[in-house]
Amino acid sequence: MGFSGSPALNVPLKVLQGNGETPSKYGYRADGQKKRILLNAFDMNGIGHISAGQWRNPQDKSVTKSRLDYWIYLAKLLDDNGFNALFLADNFGSHNVYTRSHAPAIRAGSQWPLYDPFVVVSAMAAVTKSVTFGITACTTFEPPFILAKRFSTLDHITNGRIAWNVVTSWSDNAARAMGLEKLPEHDSRYDMADEYLSLMYKLWEGSWADDAVLQDSKRGIFADPEKVRKINHQGKYFKSVSAHQVDPSPQRTPVIFQAGMSPAGAKFGSKHAECVFIGGLNPAIVQSRIETTRQLAAEQGRDPSDIKFFIQFTPILGATDEEAQAKLEHHRKYAIPEGGLALFAGTSGIDLSSFDWDEELPTDFEDPRLGRFSPAQRERLLARPKGYTSWTPRILGQYQTIGGSGNFYVGSGKTIADKMEEWITQADVDGFNIGHVAVPQAWEDVVEFLLPELKERGWLGDGGYPVPGGTARENLSGREGASRLNASHPGSRFKFEVWNANDESSRKRKHDASDEDARS
């Protein structure tokens, strides 16, 4: 099936249906006041993040992402207007599931090329004071010791404004790029990640005492060696024997983001995450997932309210609904549906190249044309958006080019704020990862059209940062002085003053011996 050009399609807008219930208690604090809603800009250091083809749009500046000017401008815009964070997605390898080739993704610029998100952060930190920088890094590929050093360095450089989006990867192609035949089994990846985080906490929280750095020039002692502990981690998946090379940074452990919603992912997130990036096209479904994750957190001894939940949300804004609609039609002229299908196939494993471009896709779970797909893939393909009476590869590809597979809305600031309130009051979300079509126009429009409306409705407090110049964790919680992990977080038990490495080694030897006895 070939493809050339990208004709504008008269297809319905994505429609998100609320659950029809009266707004609940969600969105309000215990004192009855509205909680402060957190806004992240959702970007990727590369071309075609969630809107394939927009590099052709005169309004889009994504082709300049290889230069610091783009990132410096964006960071200043976000910092000046009270955004919680710049959330940077990342991926490894090209999308090569669709047509069993990477050619469609490369041709369309669908998450290709991609640059390293870490290297632009220092420049952005130098021109900002409060906005957080959330960076995606993978526990399946990155050596823990090196990543711990990199994050600690950035936490110093940014004065504590760093967050880590913990991922385990979903792509066998990424695994092959890293020299592996394929990814480890799904749940095993989360077992690996759990151990990975334990090692990171040991390095970040347990290697240096708070008062280890003396800088005593008279005695020639920079740091007290009695207060710098060598970590000796001998685990199932990882081994590391060394003190952490970086002295304690403002947060020590960066704010932890996580996005997996499978049973294993939810269990991992409920244990480790401070922020969960959650997906879903219906507030009722998302609310159920949030409730489940909070329950899992409570079962592990955590305070469920410590976890903040963010939904992907792509608004197309204008001064009026009509102006916003015209902007959408403008964007559609530059979309490349083939690139949308390449991204869809890369993330889902569903290759639709065997279907004709305008062939109606199956609506029956048992349709023999779906025989090569797993049950989960069939369900994803059959779950077409509300309002779409026709569903072909062309229309699906077009759908994927405007905000990816997440929620998007079109309208004035008032219209979009109404939709956001549905999520806040019905789904119990704490914030939004604001996606984009054209960049940085998407966030300029948020500043111009949406922020005034949200401020007037009381969802952004005074519009500024709770702790101006504070750390990521202080501004996330709204509490000055709250730069370190909360007491109920599992990483807290590795703090230098409370963690006994010898006791842990003894417990591990007993556990291993018990396992050996059981096997024999």
Side-chain angles (χ1 to χ4, degrees), residues 441-454:
Q441 180 194 66
W443 302 297
E444 293 171 337
D445 287 349
V446 168
V447 170
E448 181 177 0
F449 302 118
L450 182 57
L451 293 190
E453 186 71 28
L454 291 176

Side-chain angles (χ1 to χ4, degrees), residues 186-187 190-191 258 260-271 289 292-293 296 300:
H186 179 273
D187 287 7
Y190 280 104
D191 290 339
Q258 187 265 349
M261 279 292 105
S262 66
K267 180 180 178 182
F268 177 86
S270 67
K271 178 178 179 180
R289 293 173 179 170
T292 297
T293 305
L296 289 170
Q300 299 186 77

Side-chain angles (χ1 to χ4, degrees), residues 177-418:
M178 297 297 169
L180 305 174
E181 288 299 318
K182 62 179 182 179
L183 286 174
E185 186 272 332
H186 179 273
D187 287 7
S188 294
R189 297 200 301 273
Y190 280 104
D191 290 339
M192 292 173 63
D194 186 63
E195 183 187 324
Y196 195 111
L197 267 291
S198 292
L199 173 52
M200 299 294 262
Y201 298 144
K202 292 175 186 178
L203 293 167
W204 286 328
E205 301 288 339
S207 187
W208 292 67
D210 287 337
D211 57 352
V213 177
L214 302 178
Q215 294 186 17
D216 188 332
S217 58
K218 290 184 178 180
R219 292 189 294 162
I221 302 174
F222 182 84
D224 183 350
E226 296 298 318
K227 295 184 178 182
V228 180
R229 175 188 291 141
K230 179 181 287 188
I231 302 303
N232 187 345
H233 180 90
Q234 303 293 328
K236 179 179 179 180
Y237 301 104
F238 304 102
K239 294 178 172 59
S240 182
V241 181
S242 177
H244 188 37
Q245 281 190 302
V246 184
D247 55 297
S249 66
Q251 296 185 119
R252 291 205 180 220
T253 297
V255 169
I256 303 295
F257 270 85
Q258 187 265 349
M261 279 292 105
S262 66
K267 180 180 178 182
F268 177 86
S270 67
K271 178 178 179 180
H272 296 283
E274 298 168 270
C275 300
V276 173
F277 183 15
I278 194 166
L281 298 177
N282 185 295
I285 293 173
V286 169
Q287 188 277 332
S288 177
R289 293 173 179 170
I290 290 175
E291 182 178 355
T292 297
T293 305
R294 292 198 195 278
Q295 289 174 346
L296 289 170
E299 290 169 7
Q300 299 186 77
R302 294 188 65 189
D303 181 345
S305 65
D306 285 346
I307 304 177
K308 306 292 185 183
F309 290 86
F310 292 78
I311 190 78
Q312 183 178 333
F313 188 96
T314 301
I316 298 176
L317 287 146
T320 65
D321 289 350
E322 293 74 19
E323 182 180 301
Q325 182 65 37
K327 191 172 294 184
L328 170 64
E329 297 307 320
H330 170 82
H331 292 337
R332 277 185 170 153
K333 291 188 295 184
Y334 301 100
I336 302 178
E338 184 186 44
L341 287 180
L343 177 58
F344 175 77
T347 57
S348 68
I350 301 173
D351 179 8
L352 295 178
S353 61
S354 63
F355 292 86
D356 291 336
W357 196 235
D358 292 308
E359 179 182 353
E360 284 291 328
L361 295 174
T363 58
D364 182 355
F365 190 86
E366 301 300 330
D367 191 304
R369 292 178 294 170
L370 300 179
R372 68 185 183 278
F373 299 131
S374 70
Q377 289 173 327
R378 296 186 197 190
E379 288 179 4
R380 179 165 181 176
L381 188 57
L382 294 176
R384 62 186 62 183
K386 182 76 172 178
Y388 278 75
T389 57
S390 180
W391 200 235
T392 67
R394 184 191 300 272
I395 294 174
L396 173 57
Q398 181 79 18
Y399 176 87
Q400 289 285 320
T401 61
I402 305 294
S405 57
N407 307 292
F408 90 81
Y409 296 101
V410 183
S412 64
K414 181 181 184 303
T415 297
I416 301 302
D418 287 345

Side-chain angles (χ1 to χ4, degrees), residues 144-160:
F145 186 84
I146 294 174
L147 189 63
K149 180 178 181 178
R150 188 182 306 136
F151 269 119
S152 290
T153 301
L154 281 177
D155 202 54
H156 274 298
I157 292 296
T158 63
N159 293 321

